Amino acid sequence: MTPPDDASLPALDLRLTEENLDDLYEHAPCGYCTCLPDGTLVKLNQTLLGWLGYRRDELVARRCLQQLLTVGGRLHYETHCAPLLLLQGQVREMSYLLRRRDGSTLPVLLSAALVREPDGTPLAVRVSLFDITERRKYEQELLRAKVQAEEQREQLARANEQLRAKNEQLTRINADLDSFVYTASHDLKQPINNMVGLFEELRRSVTFHDAEAGPMMSMFEDALAQILATIDGLTQVVQLQRAMEQVPAEPVALLPFTEDIIRSLQPAPAGTRFELDFAAAPVLRIARPGLHSLLYNLLSNALKYAAPDRPPRVRVSTARTAHATVLSVQDNGRGIDLTRHHRELFQLFRRFHPEVAGTGMGLYLVNRLARQAGGRVEVDSAVDAGTTFRIFLPQEEAGDSTPDARPLAAPPGPLSEKERGSQATR
């Protein structure tokens, strides 16, 4: 490489080439001092004097370097730093606190080199000191942040432990409640059946002359039927919960599976039309009993709560999002006023159309089954315009991508009572 021509060099201020070495020493950006091997100060630069607040004649030959340090620093210097100087001839970046004249302290990094006589006898120690006030503040901030992080980590660990304990407690409570509901419904069913038998025998063998007896008997019969339906519903909730826990997930082809459920809903209202479109996800991987109960409740509700002035139209379809498969059931029925009822939509025994017979367990069961499968339920509805239920399930389904979509003008042929399964209502 060709050296640059002098003519191409920038012009320099000649004063920069005439730097005074004494001035450079005195006003260097760091502190300098020289002391005897025992620490007696013999020379200090003006920078160091300015840091300490002393005059030169107050320190030179009157103080030792160790006396400028705090008590802890003095012990460290005499027991660690001075022996290292004699052994190695130098030390690097020792952290100390200088004591100023006003009693305040200044954090510094000390580096020193030992000067020896030609025969090896120690002559003097040359010391350089760097102000690390800002660095110390930064280190203290880091230390405080670390302490805070440790405290937050411990708080989070305690919170996680409390949450784990609460979850275990809730799991035990839920299991106990399920066992209680199952036991109670089982134990109540036999006495209620006995009451039904006694009531039938009463109607057969007793003649009532009071004109109000007939309506009262009908009301009592309806009450018994409602109690039996509630008990059956409670039993079904617990049985399905246990079945979902015991039955593994499996690939379920939605088209034939849904057609079987539609057949179990006969007789459907005149003019009922189902549209099935599973092109986006023909197969779901889910526990079969849970999916059956979920679809059965939604489809039976779509027919039960059909608008009285138009034939039911029910569309069952699938779609995909980034992280879920969406199973939708849309109807054109009576709808639900979500402005009033959105908070109680999935509550047990909550009903929104008292004029239609039901127990108020269907939507509760749908929501519980969806959550147990790792998903959630969203609802869009408007009064007298219909309802759409969307079940978001984790995208773990397996199957081919063959489109499955067909409209059904009427449900296929009927199933047996055993195939039909138990019914639930909204």
Side-chain angles (χ1 to χ4, degrees):
M1 181 176 178
T2 304
D5 190 1
D6 290 345
S8 63
L9 293 175
L12 297 177
D13 189 335
L14 294 180
R15 290 175 297 177
L16 299 178
T17 65
E18 298 174 356
E19 190 73 56
N20 186 301
L21 295 181
D22 290 338
D23 184 72
L24 179 61
Y25 171 82
E26 291 292 341
H27 300 98
C30 60
Y32 288 117
C33 67
T34 303
C35 57
L36 299 180
D38 64 356
T40 302
L41 293 166
V42 296
K43 191 175 183 179
L44 301 90
N45 72 345
Q46 190 59 44
T47 300
L48 182 54
L49 291 171
W51 287 352
L52 297 173
Y54 287 102
R55 299 191 310 273
R56 197 180 305 273
D57 59 0
E58 291 177 312
L59 298 178
V60 173
R62 295 178 181 274
R63 295 284 185 94
C64 295
L65 176 61
Q66 300 92 303
Q67 292 177 296
L68 299 180
L69 305 177
T70 59
V71 175
R74 185 181 310 172
L75 291 173
H76 183 272
Y77 181 87
E78 293 176 347
T79 60
H80 181 76
C81 186
L84 276 180
L85 272 171
L86 292 174
L87 180 64
Q88 300 178 355
Q90 65 178 8
V91 293
R92 298 290 184 190
E93 297 186 347
M94 297 287 181
S95 180
Y96 291 107
L97 287 175
L98 292 181
R99 293 181 60 86
R100 294 188 176 101
R101 185 174 186 175
D102 60 7
S104 62
T105 58
L106 175 71
V108 295
L109 282 181
L110 180 149
S111 296
L114 179 64
V115 180
R116 296 180 182 271
E117 296 278 8
D119 61 359
T121 303
L123 175 62
V125 179
R126 292 173 179 168
V127 180
S128 59
L129 301 149
F130 293 88
D131 182 356
I132 58 168
T133 301
E134 295 302 321
R135 171 176 166 176
R136 181 63 60 85
K137 290 180 181 179
Y138 176 68
E139 290 174 346
Q140 290 173 347
E141 288 296 328
L142 285 180
L143 182 60
R144 280 195 292 270
K146 180 181 178 181
V147 170
Q148 291 176 355
E150 287 294 326
E151 292 176 350
Q152 291 175 355
R153 184 188 64 79
E154 293 176 359
Q155 292 174 358
L156 182 61
R158 289 194 296 269
N160 286 336
E161 180 62 24
Q162 293 174 356
L163 182 60
R164 184 190 62 79
K166 288 291 185 183
N167 285 338
E168 291 179 354
Q169 182 182 13
L170 288 174
T171 300
R172 290 193 299 270
I173 292 173
N174 284 336
D176 292 342
L177 285 175
D178 284 346
S179 297
F180 171 77
V181 169
Y182 183 78
T183 302
S185 59
H186 181 271
D187 292 345
L188 287 173
K189 193 168 185 178
Q190 186 59 44
I192 296 299
N193 284 331
N194 292 339
M195 291 178 64
V196 172
L198 290 172
F199 179 73
E200 291 296 328
E201 180 64 23
L202 181 68
R203 295 189 65 174
R204 186 184 65 82
S205 59
V206 177
T207 301
F208 296 94
H209 301 287
D210 191 339
E212 297 181 358
M216 292 179 63
M217 297 287 284
S218 297
M219 292 172 60
F220 188 77
E221 185 177 17
D222 292 342
L224 286 177
Q226 183 70 22
I227 292 174
L228 280 174
T230 300
I231 291 174
D232 288 340
L234 289 173
T235 304
Q236 180 191 13
V237 168
V238 178
Q239 287 176 337
L240 280 172
Q241 173 83 11
R242 294 177 176 177
M244 289 284 285
E245 294 173 352
Q246 297 171 0
V247 178
E250 60 177 296
V252 179
L254 288 174
L255 184 59
F257 188 83
T258 308
E259 288 177 340
D260 286 343
I261 294 176
I262 291 173
R263 280 194 290 269
S264 72
L265 298 174
Q266 289 190 354
T272 299
R273 185 175 182 84
F274 291 90
E275 180 183 349
L276 308 182
D277 181 2
F278 304 122
V283 176
L284 285 182
R285 186 172 183 82
I286 191 173
R288 186 176 291 265
L291 180 61
H292 182 278
S293 180
L294 192 151
L295 275 176
Y296 187 92
N297 276 282
L298 292 179
L299 292 175
S300 63
N301 280 348
L303 299 183
K304 181 179 295 186
Y305 298 98
D309 58 347
R310 55 182 178 270
R313 297 288 185 268
V314 184
R315 186 175 191 272
V316 188
S317 61
T318 54
R320 293 182 186 271
T321 66
H323 304 290
T325 298
V326 185
L327 177 63
S328 300
V329 177
Q330 179 180 8
D331 63 53
N332 65 337
R334 299 171 185 249
I336 304 171
D337 187 351
L338 294 181
T339 303
R340 293 178 53 193
H341 303 302
H342 72 283
R343 293 185 179 274
E344 52 195 8
L345 193 61
F346 300 113
Q347 290 182 6
L348 189 61
F349 302 128
R350 188 67 177 90
R351 301 180 62 240
F352 310 107
H353 299 286
E355 70 278 8
V356 181
T359 60
M361 292 186 185
L363 294 186
Y364 168 82
L365 191 58
V366 167
N367 184 56
R368 184 164 181 175
L369 291 172
R371 289 184 176 275
Q372 190 168 358
R376 70 181 194 278
V377 182
E378 292 185 0
V379 183
D380 290 329
S381 188
V383 176
D384 200 37
T387 304
T388 300
F389 292 91
R390 297 183 183 88
I391 297 91
F392 290 77
L393 298 169
Q395 203 168 84
E396 297 178 356
E397 71 281 356
D400 58 45
S401 59
T402 305
D404 280 328
R406 70 178 69 174
L408 302 179
L415 294 179
S416 66
E417 182 67 26
K418 180 178 181 181
E419 293 173 311
R420 190 176 309 150
S422 58
Q423 297 186 10
T425 58
R426 184 158 65 199

